[in-house]
Amino acid sequence: MSVEVIDGRAAARSLQRSLADEVERLRDDGLGAGLATIMVGHDFSSVAYERRLRRLAAELDLPFLHTTLPVSTAGAQLVEVVAELNESPAVSGILVLRPLPGHIDEAAVFRAIDPRKDIEAVHPENAGLLALGVPRFVPSTAAAAFHLLDTWLNSAGEDRVDFYHRSLIVVVGRSNNVGKPVVSLGYDRQATVQSVDEWADRATGIGRHTRRADVLIVAAGRAGLIKAEHVSENAVVIDVGINPCEDVDGRVHMVGDVDYASVAPRVRAITPVPGGVGPITDVWLMHNTVLAARLLAGHPPPKAPLTALHPAPPLLEAS
Ligand code: NAD
C-alpha cells in the first residue's frame, strides 16, 4: 500500500483565500479585526509561531500587536496586560502564547481574557461551550487537525458521516488547549473517541491503544513517540507535535511526535511535520480573529457551518 501524504500547505493556501474574502466582507461591513499576542520569555516554538502569525497578518493586511514580557513577569502583571487588550478597540482576538513560566497561574490568566476575544477558547466559558458541542470559537489546532481529516476524506471519496460513525479516533495527549478540544471535535462528529495520556504509556505502553486506531491524532510534544509498531496498517495519522530538534551541524529544525520514516510506509495517510497541521492552525487563528470582530460588533454567529458535520459557527469550507 502506498501512503497518501496529507498536504497541509496546499489546504492552508485554499483556506487563506477564503479568509481573505472574509476579511474583505468584514471591511465592507465597516468593521476591523486585529490580533494581539503576548509571550512571556523566549520559548523557541513560541517565537517561531509569533513570527508566522506576524507574516500571515501582514499578508491579510490585518493589524498585529505583539508584546514580549520578561520571564520574571508576575502573573498579576500579565493579567494587567490582558486587561488592557480587552479594552483596546484595535484588538478583536487575544492569544497568550504557551508555555508560560511555571510561577504563573495559567488558568487565572485565561480567565482574565474577555471571552469574546478568547480566540483559542481557553476561558472557562468558551471551553465549556466547546465541551457542550456549541463552541463560540473552535480552537485553531484541533480545528486544523479535523480540517485536514475532512479535506482528505473528501479527496479520498469517503462518505465522511459514515467514516466518522464507524471510526475509532485515538488522541494521544490530553492538554486543555490541544488534546481535549480534539476529543470534543471527535465527539461532535459522532465518532468513538479514546484519549490516551502519558500515564497509560507508563503503565502499559501506548501501543495497545494506538494500534486499534482508525484515526490516530498525536499531540504529546515528544519527538518520535509514535513508531511503526504503534500503528495499524489502515490508520490515518495526524501528527500535531512540533518539537525543535538540533541536527549534527547545530541547526535547529522541527520534527513531529510521529517517527515519519518508520510510520509512513505502514499507514493509509499521514500528515508531515513541517507542512501538516501547523499551516492550517495559523490561518484558523486569523479566521477566529475575524469571527471575534463580528461577535464584538454584535453580529449573530454565521449560520453557515464549517462542514456539513460541524455544528459550530466557523465560516470556512473544507475544500
Ligand atoms: P502539553 O505539554 O500541554 O501537553 C502534552 C500532553 O501530552 C499532556 O497531556 C501529556 O501528559 C501528554 N503526554 C506526554 N508524554 C506522553 C506520552 N509518552 N504518551 C502519551 N501522552 C503523553 O502540549 P500541547 O500544548 O498539548 O502540545 C502538544 C504538541 O503539539 C507539542 O509538540 C506542541 O508544540 C504541538 N503543537 C502544535 C500545534 C500546531 O499547530 N501543529 C499547535 C499547538 C501545539
Side-chain angles (χ1 to χ4, degrees):
M1 186 173 58
S2 73
V3 67
E4 284 186 58
V5 180
I6 304 175
D7 183 352
R9 289 199 177 106
R13 278 194 294 276
S14 155
L15 270 190
Q16 193 173 331
R17 284 193 290 275
S18 306
L19 180 57
D21 293 343
E22 248 183 81
V23 171
E24 210 172 298
R25 281 198 297 275
L26 192 75
R27 290 210 179 99
D28 289 347
D29 291 342
L31 300 174
L35 173 63
T37 57
I38 316 170
M39 183 167 67
V40 183
H42 287 89
D43 173 71
F44 185 90
S45 302
S46 296
V47 169
Y49 188 29
E50 186 271 324
R51 207 179 299 130
R52 290 202 313 270
L53 291 174
R54 180 185 295 276
R55 196 166 48 226
L56 184 56
E59 283 170 22
L60 292 162
D61 198 18
L62 284 180
F64 179 75
L65 176 71
H66 175 69
T67 309
T68 300
L69 298 170
V71 76
S72 57
T73 301
Q77 288 172 292
L78 178 54
V79 165
E80 272 174 36
V81 174
V82 168
E84 280 168 26
L85 296 171
N86 284 343
E87 295 304 317
S88 169
V91 171
S92 61
I94 299 172
L95 172 68
V96 178
L97 290 157
R98 295 173 74 247
L100 292 173
H103 65 273
I104 293 181
D105 177 356
E106 189 176 275
V109 175
F110 292 165
R111 273 199 305 276
I113 302 174
D114 180 337
R116 297 166 309 161
K117 295 190 177 187
D118 172 33
I119 48 177
E120 278 295 56
V122 291
H123 185 285
E125 183 179 314
N126 289 323
L129 289 170
L130 177 68
L132 291 171
V134 285
R136 178 186 275 143
F137 299 109
V138 182
S140 58
T141 309
F146 275 97
H147 183 80
L148 282 181
L149 262 175
D150 290 346
T151 305
W152 176 76
L153 287 168
N154 278 353
S155 70
E158 287 267 5
D159 177 333
R160 282 184 295 167
V161 176
D162 178 60
F163 177 89
Y164 285 120
H165 288 185
R166 63 183 156 76
S167 288
L168 171 65
I169 301 177
V170 175
V171 184
V172 178
R174 199 178 290 156
S175 70
N176 287 335
N177 62 312
V178 183
K180 287 179 190 168
V182 166
V183 167
S184 290
L185 297 195
Y187 288 155
D188 288 349
R189 284 160 173 76
Q190 317 300 347
T192 304
V193 187
Q194 187 184 353
S195 163
V196 183
D197 212 31
E198 57 187 300
W199 292 271
D201 189 22
R202 282 186 217 156
T204 63
I206 43 176
R208 75 191 280 255
H209 306 292
T210 57
R211 272 191 297 275
R212 297 172 53 234
D214 302 298
V215 176
L216 180 62
I217 304 180
V218 192
R222 299 277 183 273
L225 173 70
I226 301 296
K227 304 208 170 4
E229 68 265 27
H230 296 126
V231 294
S232 74
E233 283 191 0
N234 211 26
V236 180
V237 178
I238 307 290
D239 188 357
V240 176
I242 301 180
N243 308 290
C245 174
E246 200 172 315
D247 64 21
V248 282
D249 304 328
R251 286 182 37 217
V252 178
H253 60 278
M254 297 298 183
V255 298
D257 287 352
V258 176
D259 176 31
Y260 189 90
S262 75
V263 171
R266 207 177 142 75
V267 295
R268 184 175 175 198
I270 188 168
T271 59
V273 176
V277 174
I280 310 278
T281 302
D282 302 352
V283 180
W284 205 279
L285 192 82
M286 292 298 178
H287 157 67
N288 280 354
T289 303
V290 172
L291 176 63
R294 286 211 177 274
L295 296 178
L296 284 162
H299 290 200
K303 293 267 188 301
L306 172 66
T307 70
L309 294 171
H310 206 285
L315 300 166
L316 304 172
E317 275 293 331
S319 53

